[in-house]
Amino acid sequence: GDVYDRAIPPVEAVSLLAQALARLSERAAVVVTPGNHDSAIRLGFGAALMREGIHLRTRVAEVGVPVELADEHGPVLVHALPYLDPDSVRFALAVAPGDDPVEPLARSHEAVVTAAMDRVRADLAARSSAHGSRLRSVVMAHAFVLGGQGSESERDIRVGGVDSVPAGAFDGVDYVALGHLH
């Protein structure tokens, strides 16, 4: 997350990202999600056009769908969560994909990240069951997790604690890679 420092980045920043993705993808799989400083729509518009090895995860609808990677030890599922602004996603994450709408989630990061992680855990359980053993899992998220310390470079978006997520929201996965503290 926070690929750029603003929703409409300068041309130089877009060029730098293109160069960085090209170089990184020559050596490893790259998974990118938008942060609170990015525009998910602008960052994700070309996701289907990216070269092999570059995975842009910008859509809330894809929260429970992992990037499937593998190494010498077998498969690894990477669930990449874009920055989940409560006002923007609390309706979409209130129901399972394809279900009828219900009451929206609470207007907090804890509520929307917990709902997203419920989708991740359900996907992980289903895939592990089909595989016959528990699969290794990584979650990438852009959230302020309680206990972390922000720096002066972060724009303050706190309003009475709605910005924070308890670390327990990420239970059930092997590794959590967090952004937002910069």
Side-chain angles (χ1 to χ4, degrees), residues 61-144:
E62 295 176 340
V63 159
V65 180
V67 173
E68 298 180 49
L69 303 176
D71 62 15
E72 65 273 9
H73 303 288
V76 179
L77 302 177
V78 179
H79 287 89
L81 309 182
Y83 177 72
L84 300 171
D85 174 58
D87 287 330
S88 301
V89 303
R90 65 194 196 110
F91 292 91
L93 289 175
V95 297
D99 287 348
D100 291 330
V102 294
E103 290 295 314
L105 298 172
R107 188 181 166 262
S108 72
H109 284 273
E110 179 177 1
V112 297
V113 170
T114 297
M117 284 303 299
D118 287 345
R119 290 182 183 199
V120 168
R121 283 186 284 272
D123 179 78
L124 180 58
R127 290 174 190 270
S128 292
S129 178
H131 186 260
S133 63
R134 189 174 187 292
L135 294 169
R136 293 178 297 152
S137 57
V138 173
V139 167
M140 294 172 46
H142 195 81
F144 185 82

